[in-house]
Amino acid sequence: MSQFDSKEPLIPARALEKQGVAAIGNLAGGVFLFIMGALGTRLPIVGIIMGVVSAVVGLGAFLSKDPADKKPGAVLIGGGALVIFARVGAAFIRPVAGTLLSIGAFGLIAMGIINGVKFLKGLKSRG
């Protein structure tokens, strides 16, 4: 059977490209949040710097025209704020910030895996 006999429609190359880039970006963001959480709670100055960088990068993604960038951007903004709160916040906020940071990292990794599976399925349907 040729690819034209298939009942599944082909995913446009541009949409497939966006899924692949989103998958890699989400996975990298999740790993970055884990690293930021680990370093940020142990090294105060490094944590604050990484929190500010994360918030700025997240703001850039959040302000993007692509709607797929808004969710990861919001998570990175929140992650940066949580790392800052984990270092300079009140004593009762620190454990909550660390927990929420881990949840955000898991969420980004899960989004990356989902987008990666969609990307691979779309790639398989094209070839």
Side-chain angles (χ1 to χ4, degrees), residues 4-111:
F4 298 110
D5 294 338
S6 174
K7 295 185 184 199
E8 293 181 28
L10 285 178
I11 297 174
R14 183 73 180 141
L16 195 59
E17 177 185 333
K18 283 185 179 184
Q19 283 178 343
V21 169
I24 292 172
N26 290 339
L27 287 171
V31 170
F32 179 70
L33 282 180
F34 271 127
I35 292 170
M36 194 169 56
L39 287 177
T41 55
R42 288 167 182 77
L43 304 170
I45 300 299
V46 173
I48 293 170
I49 291 170
M50 289 178 76
V52 170
V53 168
S54 174
V56 169
V57 169
L59 185 63
F62 187 75
L63 296 177
S64 171
K65 293 180 183 178
D66 188 6
D69 291 340
K70 294 197 181 294
K71 287 179 189 175
V75 171
L76 285 174
I77 291 170
L82 287 173
V83 169
I84 293 170
F85 287 142
R87 291 311 313 153
V88 296
F92 66 90
I93 292 178
R94 291 180 183 168
V96 173
T99 302
L100 291 176
L101 188 62
S102 296
I103 290 170
F106 278 121
L108 271 178
I109 289 174
M111 285 172 43

XYZ file of all heavy atoms in Angstrom, residues 4-111:
755
model
N -0.788 7.034 0.055
C -2.022 7.687 -0.341
C -3.247 6.819 -0.058
O -4.355 7.300 -0.036
C -1.971 8.064 -1.827
C -0.867 9.027 -2.126
C 0.245 8.640 -2.849
C -0.912 10.321 -1.650
C 1.257 9.520 -3.110
C 0.116 11.213 -1.899
C 1.199 10.808 -2.634
N -3.034 5.520 0.171
C -4.133 4.624 0.492
C -4.508 4.691 1.969
O -5.534 4.168 2.368
C -3.766 3.181 0.132
C -3.602 3.005 -1.370
O -4.155 3.833 -2.129
O -2.916 2.049 -1.769
N -3.687 5.299 2.760
C -3.925 5.391 4.194
C -5.126 6.290 4.462
O -5.351 7.277 3.769
C -2.688 5.951 4.890
O -2.972 6.173 6.238
N -5.895 5.957 5.487
C -7.064 6.757 5.831
C -6.716 7.900 6.768
O -7.521 8.772 7.003
C -8.124 5.868 6.461
C -8.642 4.859 5.476
C -9.761 4.044 6.039
C -10.118 3.020 4.977
N -11.387 2.442 5.126
N -5.513 7.893 7.337
C -5.091 8.970 8.223
C -4.545 10.128 7.386
O -3.739 9.922 6.481
C -3.991 8.482 9.168
C -4.452 7.460 10.164
C -3.337 7.041 11.090
O -2.414 7.865 11.328
O -3.374 5.917 11.567
N -4.978 11.335 7.688
C -4.449 12.473 6.928
C -2.995 12.749 7.316
O -2.584 12.500 8.446
C -5.359 13.631 7.348
C -5.872 13.234 8.686
C -5.954 11.730 8.679
N -2.247 13.271 6.369
C -0.856 13.637 6.639
C -0.814 14.908 7.476
O -1.575 15.839 7.242
C -0.097 13.878 5.338
C 0.286 12.657 4.531
C 0.992 13.087 3.254
C 1.178 11.751 5.323
N 0.074 14.907 8.426
C 0.284 16.100 9.242
C 1.203 17.022 8.455
O 2.233 16.586 7.937
C 0.914 15.723 10.592
C -0.045 14.823 11.368
C 1.249 16.958 11.393
C 0.545 14.283 12.645
N 0.855 18.302 8.344
C 1.718 19.227 7.614
C 3.121 19.281 8.225
O 3.291 19.146 9.443
C 1.014 20.574 7.756
C -0.395 20.248 8.115
C -0.358 18.938 8.834
N 4.101 19.469 7.367
C 5.496 19.481 7.812
C 5.741 20.570 8.846
O 6.499 20.369 9.800
C 6.421 19.667 6.618
N 5.103 21.700 8.694
C 5.299 22.815 9.637
C 4.779 22.441 11.031
O 5.415 22.738 12.048
C 4.584 24.066 9.107
C 4.781 25.275 9.948
C 6.181 25.813 9.803
N 6.300 26.984 10.640
C 7.370 27.278 11.329
N 8.432 26.525 11.256
N 7.414 28.354 12.067
N 3.614 21.790 11.083
C 3.056 21.367 12.372
C 3.933 20.292 13.000
O 4.146 20.280 14.219
C 1.630 20.849 12.192
N 4.454 19.408 12.184
C 5.337 18.356 12.672
C 6.627 18.955 13.242
O 7.111 18.535 14.288
C 5.642 17.381 11.538
C 6.237 16.050 11.883
C 5.329 15.285 12.829
C 6.461 15.235 10.617
N 7.136 19.954 12.560
C 8.340 20.643 13.036
C 8.091 21.313 14.391
O 8.917 21.221 15.299
C 8.758 21.684 12.009
C 9.954 22.509 12.407
C 10.244 23.607 11.402
O 9.902 23.470 10.222
O 10.816 24.631 11.829
N 6.943 21.962 14.534
C 6.603 22.615 15.800
C 6.497 21.608 16.937
O 6.932 21.882 18.056
C 5.294 23.390 15.669
C 5.420 24.700 14.951
C 4.102 25.436 14.979
C 4.217 26.768 14.278
N 2.979 27.546 14.369
N 5.914 20.430 16.652
C 5.798 19.406 17.683
C 7.172 18.923 18.128
O 7.405 18.718 19.320
C 4.988 18.216 17.178
C 3.507 18.461 17.154
C 2.746 17.276 16.593
O 3.318 16.400 15.951
N 1.442 17.257 16.831
N 8.080 18.733 17.180
C 9.432 18.288 17.524
C 10.180 19.312 18.352
O 10.817 18.978 19.355
N 10.083 20.571 17.959
C 10.754 21.638 18.699
C 10.138 21.786 20.091
O 10.851 21.962 21.085
C 10.689 22.972 17.912
C 11.141 24.143 18.762
C 11.529 22.877 16.656
N 8.814 21.693 20.178
C 8.142 21.798 21.477
C 8.547 20.640 22.384
O 8.753 20.834 23.592
C 6.627 21.825 21.290
N 8.676 19.446 21.823
C 9.075 18.281 22.626
C 10.460 18.481 23.219
O 10.670 18.275 24.428
C 9.040 17.015 21.772
N 11.387 18.910 22.406
C 12.759 19.127 22.888
C 12.797 20.274 23.895
O 13.440 20.180 24.942
C 13.707 19.383 21.703
C 13.849 18.101 20.893
C 15.066 19.871 22.182
C 14.594 18.266 19.591
N 12.078 21.344 23.605
C 12.051 22.486 24.517
C 11.440 22.139 25.864
O 11.947 22.542 26.910
N 10.362 21.378 25.848
C 9.724 20.991 27.105
C 10.613 20.061 27.918
O 10.716 20.213 29.142
C 8.374 20.320 26.839
C 7.342 21.291 26.329
O 7.442 22.488 26.514
N 6.329 20.765 25.663
N 11.228 19.092 27.268
C 12.129 18.185 27.986
C 13.310 18.947 28.584
O 13.675 18.742 29.740
C 12.622 17.072 27.065
C 11.595 16.000 26.712
C 12.135 15.088 25.612
C 11.223 15.197 27.930
N 13.893 19.830 27.779
C 15.030 20.618 28.276
C 14.600 21.528 29.422
O 15.323 21.679 30.417
C 15.629 21.444 27.141
N 13.415 22.120 29.325
C 12.915 22.973 30.392
C 12.676 22.204 31.683
O 12.972 22.693 32.771
N 12.139 21.002 31.562
C 11.920 20.174 32.751
C 13.214 19.794 33.434
O 13.332 19.865 34.662
N 14.198 19.400 32.637
C 15.509 19.054 33.208
C 16.139 20.295 33.846
O 16.716 20.220 34.929
C 16.427 18.446 32.121
C 17.850 18.314 32.603
C 15.883 17.090 31.678
N 15.997 21.442 33.185
C 16.534 22.683 33.733
C 15.882 23.020 35.070
O 16.556 23.454 36.009
C 16.335 23.827 32.737
C 16.841 25.157 33.227
C 18.193 25.394 33.367
C 15.954 26.168 33.567
C 18.664 26.611 33.828
C 16.404 27.388 34.023
C 17.764 27.611 34.155
N 14.570 22.818 35.173
C 13.898 23.095 36.442
C 14.384 22.170 37.553
O 14.538 22.586 38.696
C 12.377 22.975 36.292
C 11.665 24.145 35.639
C 10.166 23.872 35.563
C 11.924 25.434 36.366
N 14.623 20.895 37.214
C 15.174 19.983 38.224
C 16.554 20.445 38.684
O 16.844 20.472 39.882
C 15.284 18.561 37.668
C 14.060 17.735 37.874
C 13.469 17.091 36.819
C 13.490 17.588 39.129
C 12.336 16.320 36.989
C 12.359 16.825 39.320
C 11.777 16.192 38.245
N 17.404 20.799 37.730
C 18.750 21.263 38.070
C 18.671 22.560 38.871
O 19.373 22.730 39.873
C 19.599 21.443 36.800
C 19.878 20.077 36.163
C 20.905 22.169 37.106
C 20.493 20.157 34.784
N 17.795 23.438 38.440
C 17.644 24.715 39.130
C 17.157 24.499 40.560
O 17.628 25.161 41.490
C 16.653 25.589 38.362
C 16.660 27.018 38.755
S 15.729 28.069 37.620
C 14.142 27.323 37.602
N 16.251 23.572 40.740
C 15.766 23.280 42.085
C 16.851 22.699 42.967
O 16.978 23.053 44.141
N 17.655 21.797 42.394
C 18.722 21.168 43.179
C 19.815 22.171 43.546
O 20.260 22.237 44.692
C 19.315 19.998 42.402
N 20.252 22.953 42.566
C 21.311 23.927 42.841
C 20.796 25.139 43.612
O 21.490 25.679 44.465
C 21.946 24.398 41.529
C 22.843 23.403 40.813
C 23.333 23.999 39.502
C 24.007 22.993 41.668
N 19.584 25.547 43.281
C 19.036 26.751 43.883
C 18.808 26.649 45.371
O 18.923 27.641 46.087
N 18.504 25.462 45.842
C 18.267 25.323 47.279
C 19.561 25.146 48.054
O 19.576 25.336 49.266
C 17.335 24.136 47.559
O 17.881 22.961 46.980
C 15.955 24.400 46.988
N 20.637 24.785 47.372
C 21.909 24.552 48.069
C 22.883 25.723 47.966
O 23.669 25.944 48.865
C 22.557 23.280 47.527
C 21.810 22.040 47.996
C 22.233 20.802 47.236
N 21.505 19.623 47.643
C 20.273 19.319 47.292
N 19.593 20.150 46.543
N 19.690 18.210 47.683
N 22.836 26.423 46.853
C 23.740 27.554 46.635
C 22.901 28.823 46.453
O 22.346 29.054 45.378
C 24.612 27.308 45.397
C 25.439 26.020 45.405
C 26.049 25.774 44.036
C 26.500 26.081 46.471
N 22.806 29.657 47.455
C 21.875 30.786 47.417
C 22.066 31.741 46.234
O 21.102 32.065 45.556
C 22.117 31.514 48.729
C 22.896 30.596 49.579
C 23.537 29.593 48.704
N 23.287 32.172 45.985
C 23.522 33.147 44.910
C 23.239 32.524 43.549
O 22.590 33.140 42.704
C 24.981 33.678 44.973
C 25.240 34.360 46.317
C 25.276 34.612 43.816
C 24.359 35.554 46.588
N 23.699 31.285 43.340
C 23.455 30.593 42.071
C 21.954 30.402 41.868
O 21.431 30.578 40.764
C 24.200 29.235 42.040
C 23.826 28.434 40.809
C 25.696 29.458 42.098
N 21.239 30.060 42.931
C 19.800 29.869 42.838
C 19.069 31.132 42.436
O 18.168 31.101 41.600
N 19.457 32.243 43.011
C 18.807 33.513 42.679
C 19.101 33.894 41.234
O 18.196 34.307 40.497
C 19.242 34.616 43.663
C 18.683 34.298 45.057
C 18.779 35.985 43.200
C 19.227 35.179 46.159
N 20.351 33.734 40.798
C 20.716 34.062 39.411
C 19.956 33.163 38.444
O 19.398 33.635 37.446
C 22.242 33.955 39.213
C 22.951 35.065 39.984
C 22.598 34.015 37.731
C 24.453 34.917 40.060
N 19.912 31.854 38.734
C 19.192 30.928 37.858
C 17.698 31.227 37.847
O 17.040 31.101 36.817
C 19.448 29.486 38.289
C 20.851 29.016 38.004
S 21.146 27.339 38.575
C 20.310 26.401 37.333
N 17.144 31.636 38.974
C 15.731 31.993 39.034
C 15.410 33.197 38.164
O 14.412 33.215 37.449
N 16.276 34.197 38.213
C 16.065 35.394 37.387
C 16.195 35.051 35.910
O 15.373 35.480 35.086
C 17.053 36.513 37.799
C 17.025 37.658 36.806
C 16.735 37.007 39.197
N 17.211 34.253 35.550
C 17.396 33.855 34.149
C 16.189 33.061 33.658
O 15.677 33.284 32.556
C 18.710 33.058 33.971
C 18.781 32.404 32.608
C 19.911 33.958 34.198
N 15.726 32.134 34.482
C 14.564 31.331 34.109
C 13.329 32.207 33.904
O 12.574 32.004 32.955
C 14.287 30.293 35.186
O 13.102 29.613 34.919
N 13.116 33.145 34.792
C 11.956 34.022 34.672
C 12.032 34.870 33.405
O 11.022 35.061 32.711
C 11.830 34.908 35.907
N 13.214 35.353 33.060
C 13.374 36.179 31.857
C 13.159 35.336 30.591
O 12.461 35.759 29.662
C 14.762 36.866 31.843
C 15.051 37.498 30.503
C 14.835 37.901 32.953
N 13.743 34.134 30.557
C 13.551 33.249 29.400
C 12.078 32.852 29.289
O 11.502 32.834 28.200
C 14.453 32.000 29.509
C 14.085 30.955 28.471
C 15.913 32.400 29.349
N 11.465 32.550 30.416
C 10.047 32.201 30.416
C 9.172 33.347 29.949
O 8.195 33.145 29.231
N 9.529 34.556 30.326
C 8.775 35.722 29.876
C 8.875 35.879 28.365
O 7.893 36.189 27.690
C 9.278 36.982 30.586
C 8.510 38.266 30.306
C 7.076 38.146 30.795
C 9.196 39.447 30.976
N 10.078 35.637 27.820
C 10.242 35.697 26.371
C 9.387 34.658 25.660
O 8.763 34.943 24.643
N 9.328 33.453 26.198
C 8.495 32.407 25.604
C 7.018 32.730 25.778
O 6.214 32.509 24.872
C 8.825 31.059 26.235
N 6.651 33.260 26.942
C 5.248 33.581 27.209
C 4.740 34.679 26.285
O 3.569 34.678 25.896
C 5.077 33.992 28.667
C 3.652 34.172 29.075
C 2.842 33.070 29.288
C 3.119 35.432 29.250
C 1.521 33.224 29.659
C 1.799 35.599 29.628
C 0.992 34.495 29.836
N 5.591 35.619 25.930
C 5.196 36.722 25.047
C 5.289 36.368 23.573
O 5.001 37.201 22.710
C 6.041 37.963 25.350
C 5.858 38.555 26.752
C 6.810 39.728 26.964
C 4.418 38.976 26.983
N 5.675 35.140 23.266
C 5.780 34.679 21.884
C 4.407 34.662 21.212
O 3.380 34.527 21.873
C 6.386 33.272 21.858
O 6.309 32.721 20.571
N 4.405 34.754 19.897
C 3.153 34.702 19.147
C 2.608 33.281 19.050
O 1.425 33.088 18.827
C 3.366 35.263 17.740
C 3.666 36.741 17.725
C 3.873 37.241 16.333
C 4.251 38.713 16.345
N 4.504 39.223 15.011
N 3.466 32.288 19.216
C 3.055 30.891 19.106
C 2.352 30.464 20.392
O 2.930 30.513 21.474
C 4.284 30.016 18.854
C 3.928 28.582 18.525
O 2.719 28.293 18.379
O 4.847 27.762 18.404
N 1.104 30.017 20.315
C 0.388 29.618 21.531
C 1.012 28.413 22.239
O 0.836 28.238 23.442
C -1.023 29.276 21.048
C -1.069 29.506 19.598
C 0.272 29.950 19.137
N 1.763 27.590 21.524
C 2.403 26.419 22.143
C 3.524 26.836 23.092
O 3.916 26.052 23.956
C 2.952 25.492 21.071
N 4.039 28.050 22.961
C 5.127 28.524 23.813
C 4.626 29.149 25.111
O 5.405 29.365 26.036
C 5.984 29.555 23.068
C 6.773 28.939 21.937
O 6.959 27.707 21.946
O 7.202 29.680 21.036
N 3.350 29.450 25.184
C 2.825 30.164 26.352
C 2.829 29.304 27.619
O 3.203 29.783 28.682
C 1.438 30.696 26.048
C 1.475 31.773 24.960
C 0.242 32.584 24.932
C 0.278 33.620 23.831
N 1.273 34.643 23.984
N 2.426 28.045 27.524
C 2.395 27.185 28.718
C 3.797 26.936 29.273
O 4.024 27.132 30.466
C 1.706 25.859 28.408
C 0.215 25.987 28.255
C -0.404 24.638 27.927
C -1.857 24.781 27.565
N -2.448 23.516 27.138
N 4.761 26.500 28.429
C 6.116 26.334 28.979
C 6.700 27.642 29.499
O 7.421 27.651 30.496
C 6.935 25.799 27.804
C 5.946 25.220 26.878
C 4.683 26.011 27.064
N 6.377 28.755 28.850
C 6.856 30.049 29.322
C 6.314 30.383 30.701
O 7.047 30.848 31.575
N 5.034 30.106 30.903
C 4.434 30.357 32.218
C 5.050 29.460 33.282
O 5.292 29.901 34.412
C 2.922 30.139 32.149
N 5.345 28.206 32.909
C 5.965 27.296 33.872
C 7.372 27.769 34.227
O 7.775 27.726 35.392
C 5.977 25.848 33.320
C 6.811 24.936 34.191
C 4.557 25.315 33.212
N 8.122 28.252 33.239
C 9.474 28.750 33.521
C 9.445 30.027 34.357
O 10.283 30.211 35.240
C 10.244 28.981 32.222
C 10.748 27.723 31.532
C 11.366 28.060 30.181
C 11.751 27.004 32.406
N 8.486 30.895 34.101
C 8.348 32.089 34.937
C 8.048 31.668 36.377
O 8.665 32.150 37.326
C 7.235 33.017 34.405
C 7.653 33.646 33.081
C 6.907 34.116 35.426
C 6.525 34.383 32.382
N 7.097 30.764 36.513
C 6.753 30.274 37.846
C 7.918 29.566 38.505
O 8.157 29.726 39.711
N 8.660 28.775 37.733
C 9.823 28.071 38.283
C 10.891 29.029 38.766
O 11.472 28.840 39.836
N 11.148 30.068 37.977
C 12.121 31.073 38.399
C 11.691 31.770 39.670
O 12.488 31.974 40.591
N 10.405 32.108 39.740
C 9.895 32.758 40.949
C 9.976 31.811 42.145
O 10.328 32.228 43.256
C 8.452 33.209 40.723
N 9.686 30.532 41.926
C 9.737 29.574 43.033
C 11.155 29.390 43.567
O 11.358 29.252 44.771
C 9.153 28.230 42.590
C 7.641 28.195 42.420
C 7.206 26.872 41.818
C 6.949 28.432 43.748
N 12.132 29.375 42.658
C 13.519 29.242 43.121
C 13.917 30.472 43.935
O 14.570 30.354 44.970
C 14.483 29.028 41.929
C 15.928 29.157 42.359
C 14.250 27.664 41.314
N 13.501 31.629 43.480
C 13.807 32.848 44.238
C 13.118 32.800 45.600
O 13.729 33.100 46.626
C 13.405 34.102 43.434
C 14.293 34.222 42.193
C 13.504 35.356 44.287
C 13.845 35.263 41.191
N 11.843 32.396 45.617
C 11.125 32.284 46.894
C 11.743 31.232 47.804
O 11.733 31.373 49.026
C 9.650 31.958 46.678
C 8.843 33.104 46.144
C 7.847 32.877 45.223
C 9.076 34.399 46.569
C 7.088 33.922 44.720
C 8.328 35.448 46.078
C 7.329 35.216 45.154
N 12.279 30.163 47.192
C 12.901 29.114 48.007
C 14.167 29.621 48.699
O 14.585 29.068 49.712
C 13.230 27.898 47.135
N 14.786 30.659 48.170
C 16.005 31.180 48.768
C 15.749 32.396 49.652
O 16.384 32.554 50.673
C 17.028 31.569 47.690
C 17.597 30.405 46.962
C 18.111 29.280 47.842
N 18.947 29.715 48.941
C 19.084 29.075 50.082
N 18.455 27.960 50.296
N 19.866 29.524 51.033
N 14.879 33.295 49.233
C 14.718 34.540 49.980
C 13.327 34.679 50.597
O 13.042 35.686 51.216
C 15.022 35.781 49.102
C 16.469 35.776 48.682
C 14.110 35.851 47.898
N 12.475 33.671 50.422
C 11.121 33.748 50.964
C 11.086 33.431 52.445
O 12.086 33.076 53.069
N 9.916 33.560 52.997
C 9.708 33.234 54.404
C 9.909 31.738 54.615
O 9.834 30.942 53.681
C 8.302 33.644 54.821
N 10.164 31.355 55.847
C 10.490 29.967 56.167
C 9.371 29.004 55.788
O 9.636 27.881 55.362
C 10.808 29.839 57.644
N 8.118 29.404 55.897
C 7.027 28.497 55.568
C 6.809 28.371 54.063
O 6.184 27.424 53.604
C 5.729 28.926 56.262
C 5.178 30.249 55.780
C 4.284 30.296 54.729
C 5.557 31.433 56.399
C 3.776 31.501 54.294
C 5.061 32.645 55.962
C 4.168 32.685 54.906
N 7.331 29.301 53.268
C 7.167 29.259 51.810
C 8.215 28.345 51.164
O 7.950 27.747 50.128
C 7.254 30.685 51.222
C 6.042 31.489 51.665
C 7.343 30.665 49.715
C 6.039 32.916 51.195
N 9.367 28.211 51.749
C 10.470 27.461 51.141
C 10.111 26.016 50.792
O 10.352 25.590 49.664
C 11.701 27.526 52.029
C 12.292 28.913 52.055
C 13.499 28.991 52.937
N 13.965 30.374 52.968
C 14.844 30.823 53.807
N 15.388 30.015 54.692
N 15.217 32.084 53.771
N 9.546 25.216 51.694
C 9.222 23.834 51.309
C 8.132 23.756 50.241
O 8.171 22.909 49.359
C 8.752 23.170 52.599
C 8.869 24.154 53.676
C 9.310 25.453 53.106
N 7.160 24.664 50.310
C 6.093 24.684 49.316
C 6.668 25.032 47.942
O 6.302 24.434 46.930
C 4.994 25.694 49.730
C 3.952 25.853 48.642
C 4.350 25.266 51.027
N 7.583 25.990 47.912
C 8.204 26.391 46.645
C 8.977 25.221 46.035
O 8.901 24.997 44.821
C 9.129 27.586 46.874
N 9.710 24.484 46.844
C 10.453 23.331 46.330
C 9.541 22.253 45.774
O 9.817 21.665 44.718
N 8.445 22.001 46.440
C 7.484 21.005 45.970
C 6.844 21.432 44.656
O 6.737 20.640 43.711
C 6.390 20.770 47.032
O 7.013 20.358 48.243
C 5.398 19.731 46.582
N 6.421 22.671 44.583
C 5.810 23.175 43.350
C 6.807 23.191 42.192
O 6.435 22.956 41.038
C 5.226 24.565 43.576
C 3.998 24.617 44.486
C 3.576 26.063 44.714
C 2.858 23.813 43.893
N 8.061 23.456 42.484
C 9.102 23.432 41.458
C 9.252 22.025 40.886
O 9.363 21.853 39.669
C 10.419 23.921 42.049
C 11.570 24.147 41.083
C 11.202 25.227 40.080
C 12.810 24.560 41.843
N 9.233 21.020 41.731
C 9.316 19.635 41.253
C 8.101 19.255 40.426
O 8.221 18.579 39.400
C 9.434 18.672 42.436
O 10.637 18.905 43.133
N 6.925 19.692 40.844
C 5.708 19.409 40.081
C 5.787 20.057 38.699
O 5.419 19.447 37.695
C 4.464 19.891 40.858
C 4.245 19.014 42.087
C 3.222 19.875 39.965
C 3.196 19.539 43.038
N 6.275 21.282 38.635
C 6.439 21.959 37.345
C 7.432 21.249 36.448
O 7.222 21.135 35.238
N 8.515 20.756 37.024
C 9.512 20.031 36.236
C 8.915 18.742 35.681
O 9.101 18.420 34.499
C 10.736 19.727 37.095
N 8.188 18.005 36.523
C 7.523 16.789 36.037
C 6.510 17.115 34.943
O 6.382 16.381 33.968
C 6.818 16.054 37.180
C 7.722 15.188 38.002
C 7.850 15.401 39.355
C 8.439 14.158 37.417
C 8.679 14.607 40.124
C 9.277 13.358 38.174
C 9.399 13.574 39.530
N 5.782 18.214 35.103
C 4.801 18.618 34.096
C 5.445 18.933 32.761
O 4.948 18.525 31.706
N 6.552 19.646 32.783
C 7.252 19.965 31.529
C 7.791 18.709 30.867
O 7.712 18.558 29.645
C 8.396 20.948 31.789
C 8.056 22.414 31.717
C 9.279 23.254 32.045
C 7.525 22.798 30.364
N 8.340 17.810 31.656
C 8.858 16.566 31.084
C 7.708 15.755 30.491
O 7.839 15.188 29.391
C 9.663 15.782 32.130
C 10.977 16.527 32.402
C 9.932 14.356 31.668
C 11.811 15.952 33.504
N 6.575 15.708 31.171
C 5.416 14.983 30.637
C 4.934 15.612 29.333
O 4.629 14.887 28.364
C 4.288 14.965 31.664
N 4.883 16.944 29.270
C 4.490 17.614 28.030
C 5.481 17.308 26.915
O 5.088 17.126 25.754
C 4.400 19.133 28.248
C 3.173 19.557 29.015
S 3.123 21.310 29.508
C 3.694 22.198 28.103
